[in-house]
Amino acid sequence: MKNLLVSAIREFSNGQAFEDDVTFVIVKVV
Amino acid sequence: MAEYGAISEAIQKFGLAFDKKQIFEIVGNYVSRTCANSVAVFAYPESGGFEASVISAEPLGDEALDRIEDSMTPLLAKYCSPGENFEDGRYPVSRLKFESCVLRDASAAAGPNPRKRQGDIKGSLLIPIFLGNRVYSIFGIFGESELDMSRETASDMVVIGYMAAMSIKNHSVTRSMISALSEAERRMSEEAARASRAPALLALSRKLASQKTVDGVMDATLSAYREMFGVARVAIYSHNHHRRELVLEKASFGHARAAKAGIPEDSGVAGAAVQKGQPYFRRPYIDDTDEIAAIPLFGVSGVSSGAITLFDRSKKLNFEERDFELMWTIANMLSVALNLVKIQSMAESRIAEKGSDHKIIESLVTLFESRSEVASLPALTAETLGKIFTAGSIAAFEADPGGGLKNVYLSDAVSGPSVKPLELEPAAARSIFESSVAQAISGDKLVARTGDNENRHGGKLFLCLPVTAEDGRNILFVAHDIEGDGIAKAADRTLVAAVSRAVQAAFDSSGQAAEKLLTVQNGAESEICRQIQKKLVPKADGTYEKFEVASFCEPSQSPGGDLFDFIRAENGNITLLVADVSGKGVQSALISAMLRAQVRSLIGGYPEPRKLLHTLNNLICEDIDLYNFITLLLLQLSPMGGRAAFCNAGHNPVLHYVRDGDNVVIHESKNSPLGILKNMEFKEGILLLDRGDILLLHTNGLCDLKNSSGDFFGRERSPTSFKRTRARTRNR
C-alpha cells in the first residue's frame, strides 16, 4: 500500500515540489 | 348426556381460565372423572422448546415418569423438529414438569403427605393436537392399567385436548402481547427521552465551538451531561501521566470536593475507565453509594487524557450500550474542544508575538534606515530592545581588544539612558551575569538564563545577545529583569530567535537586510501554520476489515487550509474527510481546526453524509465572512465492504480505479462548496466497490502542479496518472 502511495505521489508530482498543501488518501478494497 | 355436560362445563371453564394452572386443573379434573386412576400429560411449546406437564394430584415416581417419557418421545420426535425442540434427538427428562393440581376427585386422597405413585403406568392414549397445519401440542392420558375407553370417550378427549391447547395458546399470545405492549411503552418513553438528546447534542457542539476557555468548555460539557442523562453530579478528571494520577479538574458539585486533589491513576471508577480504555459502569453495592458511570477521555493523539464520571444516588440510571456511546461521543467532543481551545490559545499567543515581531521589525527597519550614524547604532538598538522586552535594565557593551567589555549604553528605571557601568547586586547576580556574558561571547550565540532563586541571584532573567557589526565590532546587548515578567514572557524561543535574527540583520551592511527581516516574519507565520496542521493530521494508515488506507499530507512552504481527517465509529464505519479552506496562513489553518471539530461533533448524529453536510453548511454560513468558502469531500466506508457513500461539496473528484475493466471512473462534485448559501440540499453518491478497487482522494495541490512548459497539471490528467500508477505497482 505504501508502494502504491509513494508511486502515486511520484507519478503525480513528476519530481516537482508541491507549491500548495497536498493531501493524498488512497483506499484499497481488500 | 353426562359426558356432554362434563365437556360443556369444561369448555365454559376454559373460557374463564386466566392461567395455565387453571387450564391444567380443568383437563386433570375431566380426565380423572372420565378415566379412573389415570394421569393427564400435556406437552406444549414453551421458551423455544416443548414443556410437558404431568397433571396429577400426587407426585409420580421416577419409574412412572420414565414410562411417560418413553411413550411420548416417539410422537414428539415424529411431529417436532429435533433441532428445534429436542436435545440429541430425545426429549429431555428434566423438561417433564409435575403440575400439582388440586383435582376434584383426587384431592381428598392427596392429604398433607400425598402418596407417591410408582411404576403404575400401563395404558396410554396420545393425541397430537393440530393448530393450523402443524402439531401444537401432545395430549396424553396414562392409566395404571390398560385404558378401557370407548370411541366416544376418546373423541371427547380429543375435544378437551384441542380446547386446552387453544386456551394455552391464547394465554401464551395474550401474555406475549401484554409483554410486547409493556416493552413498547417502555421503549417509547425511553425513545422520547433520547430523541430530546439530539437537539441538545447539536446545541452542545455549537456551544463548545464558541468557547474560548478551558473552563467554558468544561462547564458546557458538565451541563450537557446533567441535562441529557438526568444525573445529579458529573466530574471531569485529567490524567497526569508523569505523576500517575487523576486530577479532579471540574465538577458540577461543591467546591470542596472539586478541589484539585490527585488520586492514583488506577483507583476508583474513573481509574477503571482509564485503565480499560472504555466506559465503566458500577451499580451501587450498598444503599448509600452512588450509581456511577465513567467514560475515558482521549487526546487527539489517542493517549488517555482523563475521564468523566457521572454519579447518581437515585439509582434509576439503567444505562444502555447506546447511552454509553452518546456519553463517549460527548467525551470525544470535550477532547476535541479542549484541544481546539489549546490550539486557539497557542495561535493567539503566537499571533500576539507576531505582533511583537512586527513592532521589532518596524523599529529595527527604522533603525537600519537611520544607520548613517553608525556610532549611535548600539545605543539605538539597545533602546529599541528595552522597549520590546520591557526589561528592568538594558545595556550594550562593546568588546575591547583586551578582551574586556566597555559600557556603551545603559538604561534603567532609576537613572534613564546613560553610559555608566552596569552595577549588579548582590554578588550572585553579578556572577550569573558574567557567566551568561562569557557563554554568549564564546559561543557567539544568544543566551537566556533564568535565576532559579530570586534572592540568591537578584533577578529572574538575563538575556545576552551578541552581535557582530559590519565593521567587525562585537557588541553585546544584555537585558536584565528584576521583576521577571517582561523578559520571562519574551524568553519564548520563537520570539527571542526572531529578535536575534532581526537585530543581526539590522547590523548587517547588506542592502538585503529588509528582505531578511521579511523572511523572518513569513517564516514565523509558516511555522505557526505547520504546527497547527501537524496537530490535526490523524493516524489513518492501516488495514480496517475490508479496506486498506494510506495517506500523505504535506503542508507547503506557505501552508494553506488543507484538512484530512479519519474517523472510525463504534460500529466500524470509517469516515474520510478531505477539505480545502480558501485562503492561506494562520486564519485558514485555524478554520481547518474548527471545521475538524465541527465535523467530529456532528458525525455521530448524522449517519447520511448529505445531511451532515447540510447542517455543517448552515453552521459555516453563519460565519461566512470568516470562512469565505470551503470545498469538502466526505467518504463513508461500510465495514462490510462492497459500498461507500460520499458527498462532495465542490471538492476535487473521487478517482475510482475499477479493477474489473482496468478503468478509472471520475466522480465529480454535484454540489456547491460550503459557506456559499444557507439551507442548501446536498446530493450524495454511492460507489460500488469490488476487491482490488482503489479510491484516490486529493486536494488542489495536485492540480496546481505545473509541467516543464509551465502548464498546470490539471484535473484531466489525474485519471491517466492514476491508472499508470496502478499499472506500475501491479507490475512489481
Side-chain angles (χ1 to χ4, degrees), chain B residues 5 10 29 35 43 47 66 174 275 295 306 394 437 514 571 595 633 644 655 666 680 703 711 716:
Chain B
N29 277 322
C35 298
S47 307
D66 286 346
T174 306
Q275 297 296 313
I295 313 295
I394 181 101
V437 168
N571 61 6
L595 176 66
L633 169 63
L655 301 184
I666 307 168
M680 276 200 303
C703 304
D711 299 326
E716 57 278 8

Side-chain angles (χ1 to χ4, degrees), chain A residues 1-2 4-5 7-9 11-13 16-30, chain B residues 533 541 546-548 550-552 554 556 560 562 584 692-695 697-699 702 705-706 724 728:
Chain A
M1 202 51 181
K2 276 287 172 196
L4 184 64
L5 184 69
S7 181
I9 292 166
E11 175 65 42
F12 281 90
S13 68
Q16 301 174 62
F18 294 108
E19 286 183 13
D20 202 351
D21 295 354
V22 167
T23 302
F24 271 82
V25 185
I26 288 182
V27 179
K28 184 177 177 185
V29 185
V30 293
Chain B
Q533 287 188 324
D541 294 8
K546 302 281 184 185
F547 301 101
E548 272 185 65
S551 60
F552 171 79
E554 185 63 27
S556 66
D562 266 20
K584 285 182 179 295
D693 283 9
I694 301 171
L695 302 175
L697 288 60
H698 63 93
T699 53
L702 183 71
L705 283 174
K706 296 173 188 173
R724 206 157 46 212
R728 191 170 297 160

Side-chain angles (χ1 to χ4, degrees), chain B residues 443-463:
Chain B
D444 192 24
K445 65 178 184 184
L446 182 143
V447 172
R449 294 278 295 270
T450 307
D452 56 359
N453 182 315
E454 191 174 339
N455 293 327
R456 190 157 57 87
H457 293 153
K460 280 192 175 174
L461 194 134
F462 287 100
L463 188 72

